[in-house]
Amino acid sequence: MRLSLNPLAFGTAFALALCTSAALIGSGPAAACEGRTTLAQSYVGANKDVKAEYVYCANDLRSDVSTSTGAGSDIFARQNDVCGAACTTYCWTPSGGGPDPNDCTVIQDALLYDSENTGPLFSLDPATNTSMIVMTYNTCQTYILDQTNSSLTYCRSDWATLVNYIAFNCQATQNAHGGVCVADDQRWYIQVQHS
Ligand SMILES: *[C@@H]1O[C@H](CO)[C@@H](O)[C@H](O)[C@H]1NC(C)=O
Ligand SMILES: *[C@@H]1O[C@H](CO)[C@@H](O)[C@H](O)[C@H]1NC(C)=O
């Protein structure tokens, strides 16, 4: 299952191309965060009920699922703005213990609200210890991780789309309990899991 996010030339709108085949099955979520330190925290969304944190983990959380396209050769200069970049979705099996997708929709709504009211873009930067942002509402937790040594810029609206997409396509009815979308160039991933 490939989820392609294709930004349009204007605003934060984008076209979303989804295929209808089943999502890939992942080998399991990235390792749990060890030595977890919350570096900053706030509550976001229209109702200020979604917790947003910059988190530092002492261990390596890089995803062990890799997409076949890989990083490839660097013939083209790499852009730090990865809005609209394609990622591939993997679901974690089996069913049971996953987040309630409706809680994930609350996070989606908060991200869309922030996109409109705070700004469409946000940054991840290992140099400022902001490689990992975690958002939590009730049973649903999603995070984005910059797996590189350099900064990346991403769109709140794309994250919003992905958290809902993963939540509803990797739930019990798919024999899953959450999942991940790994950038096709491996530079970042977004995971959805039980909080
Ligand atoms: C990030 O934060 C952790 C925990 O406070 C700290 O140990 C680490 O040195 C920090 N890294 C950077 C690059 O500031
Ligand atoms: C990223 O930084 C780590 C620690 O400094 C280093 O071991 C690793 O080789 C770097 N990776 C890349 C892709 O530059």
Side-chain angles (χ1 to χ4, degrees), residues 27-101:
S27 54
C33 180
E34 292 170 13
R36 191 183 198 279
T37 305
T38 297
L39 303 168
Q41 173 179 312
S42 61
Y43 284 84
V44 301
N47 300 318
K48 298 274 179 268
D49 54 1
V50 172
K51 184 163 72 175
E53 300 167 278
Y54 286 113
V55 169
Y56 172 82
C57 302
N59 59 325
D60 186 355
L61 287 189
R62 273 175 279 194
S63 173
D64 62 355
V65 297
S66 59
T67 52
S68 54
T69 49
S73 56
D74 276 308
I75 300 170
F76 303 104
R78 291 186 148 199
Q79 297 184 344
N80 282 4
D81 184 342
V82 292
C83 277
C87 62
T88 301
T89 301
Y90 298 83
C91 298
W92 312 132
T93 57
S95 64
D100 179 345

Side-chain angles (χ1 to χ4, degrees), residues 90-124:
Y90 298 83
C91 298
W92 312 132
T93 57
S95 64
D100 179 345
N102 297 303
D103 289 339
C104 300
T105 299
V106 176
I107 298 179
Q108 177 193 38
D109 290 344
L111 282 162
L112 291 173
Y113 178 87
D114 280 10
S115 180
E116 294 295 321
N117 294 281
T118 304
L121 305 177
F122 64 93
S123 292
L124 304 159

Side-chain angles (χ1 to χ4, degrees), residues 54 121-125 128 130-131 133 151-154 156:
Y54 286 113
L121 305 177
F122 64 93
S123 292
L124 304 159
D125 190 357
T128 58
T130 56
S131 295
I133 302 175
S151 67
L152 295 175
T153 297
Y154 198 58
R156 289 188 169 91

